[in-house]
Amino acid sequence: MSKEEKKRRQFMKQAVGLGVLGIAAAGGIWAAKDFKLTKGRLRPPGAVPEEQYLSMCIKCGQCLQVCPYDSIMLEDIDGEAGVGTAYIDPLARGCYLCEAFPCVLACPTGALDHEANVIEKVHMGMAIVVNESACLALDNKKVTDDMIGRIYEHTKVISDTERQNRKVVMNPNDPEKVILQKELLKKLSEQEGKNCSLCADLCPFEPDPSQAIGMVSKDGGLFPEIRDACVGCGACVELCPTKVLQILPYATYADVYEKNKGSQNA
């Protein structure tokens, strides 16, 4: 049995019992082989297709320098492709789709397409469900202080005291970058004690996050439904306390969901 087949069988075992969205996600991952998504990095907003991106990115780090949320990283020597190229690891820090997309504007080569200057044009990938049974909303579980603390740990611009107390102090002299990240933490802290729906409640898609993700009734609780406006920013992946979601880079809603609906109806 090949290594690829073993991986596929292992994934399908994990997918058993995931329901319609889980099955769609499972199909999406393996359909993704057709356009080399399974090993791909999530690229910053506006990234051109991967092979083109790798040839155009000059590893200058300008996108990283201007990112207001510290979402962008540079591939190190242990990476599988493109040492020095910019990418996003949504488990460490998702993209929050900031206004005017300074990362796109800062790119000197067009590896981040300068035409991608509005939210509808910055398509990065597609969110999928990979671990339905871990969803806290299904069991009506509430957001805890520890869940919030994870995101405080991801935030570099706050003080150690703010991080330890899990409470930010808004200062009039804070730079815009600090204000934006503190505002995110404030919104997160307001969710403590409420039933978990962090992925939908803090989705940064504007003007209407419900076009990208929403909570639907399922098995006595709620469950995230990925919708066609999702741009794959990865914020939901970072915010989810139990790793229910992940992003398929460059995938579209049609690639992941419409194709699988068709195969299930065939």
Side-chain angles (χ1 to χ4, degrees), residues 23-24 26-28 31 254-266:
I23 292 170
D255 292 326
V256 177
Y257 295 103
E258 296 297 339
K259 286 182 181 179
N260 285 283
K261 287 179 183 177
S263 64
Q264 289 165 26
N265 294 331

Side-chain angles (χ1 to χ4, degrees), residues 126-175:
M126 182 58 50
I128 61 168
V129 176
V130 293
N131 192 11
E132 178 179 326
S133 62
C135 181
L136 301 176
L138 277 175
D139 295 323
N140 299 300
K141 292 185 178 179
K142 299 185 183 301
V143 176
T144 67
D145 183 61
D146 284 342
M147 295 177 195
I148 293 169
R150 292 174 46 256
I151 314 303
Y152 271 80
E153 291 299 323
H154 293 179
T155 306
K156 301 175 183 178
V157 299
I158 59 176
S159 67
D160 290 340
T161 300
E162 289 173 312
R163 190 173 293 106
Q164 291 167 7
N165 294 338
R166 293 170 187 171
K167 183 176 181 181
V168 295
V169 177
M170 305 298 290
N171 298 310
N173 296 325
D174 281 339

Side-chain angles (χ1 to χ4, degrees), residues 6 18 33 58 75 80 114 120 135 148 160 176-177 181 210 214 219-220 241 252 255 260 266:
K6 288 181 180 178
L18 292 185
K33 290 192 299 182
I58 59 173
E75 191 77 69
E80 293 185 3
H114 288 191
E120 295 85 359
C135 181
I148 293 169
D160 290 340
E176 182 180 12
K177 173 177 180 173
Q181 294 196 43
S210 68
D219 298 335
T252 67
D255 292 326
N260 285 283

Side-chain angles (χ1 to χ4, degrees), residues 80-256:
E80 293 185 3
V83 173
T85 56
Y87 73 98
I88 292 173
D89 177 359
L91 287 173
R93 176 61 103 189
C95 168
Y96 286 87
L97 302 176
C98 49
E99 188 175 358
F101 298 99
C103 57
V104 174
L105 296 175
C107 179
T109 66
L112 305 182
D113 186 356
H114 288 191
E115 295 297 317
N117 54 5
V118 293
I119 200 166
E120 295 85 359
K121 295 182 179 180
V122 297
H123 191 83
M124 301 161 67
M126 182 58 50
I128 61 168
V129 176
V130 293
N131 192 11
E132 178 179 326
S133 62
C135 181
L136 301 176
L138 277 175
D139 295 323
N140 299 300
K141 292 185 178 179
K142 299 185 183 301
V143 176
T144 67
D145 183 61
D146 284 342
M147 295 177 195
I148 293 169
R150 292 174 46 256
I151 314 303
Y152 271 80
E153 291 299 323
H154 293 179
T155 306
K156 301 175 183 178
V157 299
I158 59 176
S159 67
D160 290 340
T161 300
E162 289 173 312
R163 190 173 293 106
Q164 291 167 7
N165 294 338
R166 293 170 187 171
K167 183 176 181 181
V168 295
V169 177
M170 305 298 290
N171 298 310
N173 296 325
D174 281 339
E176 182 180 12
K177 173 177 180 173
V178 176
I179 292 171
L180 287 171
Q181 294 196 43
K182 285 185 175 181
E183 286 177 345
L184 172 62
L185 291 173
K186 284 186 67 176
K187 291 177 183 177
L188 182 64
S189 293
E190 290 168 359
Q191 298 296 316
E192 185 176 359
K194 298 180 181 179
N195 283 7
C196 186
S197 53
L198 294 176
C199 57
D201 291 340
L202 275 72
C203 171
F205 185 86
E206 295 291 347
D208 184 4
S210 68
Q211 294 181 6
I213 185 172
M215 304 302 291
V216 296
S217 298
K218 182 178 176 66
D219 298 335
L222 294 173
F223 192 72
E225 177 183 70
I226 309 304
R227 297 170 179 168
D228 60 1
C230 173
V231 297
C233 66
C236 59
V237 174
E238 180 190 7
L239 293 164
C240 178
T242 52
K243 300 181 180 179
V244 172
L245 302 162
Q246 75 177 50
I247 304 296
L248 284 181
Y250 292 107
T252 67
Y253 186 84
D255 292 326
V256 177

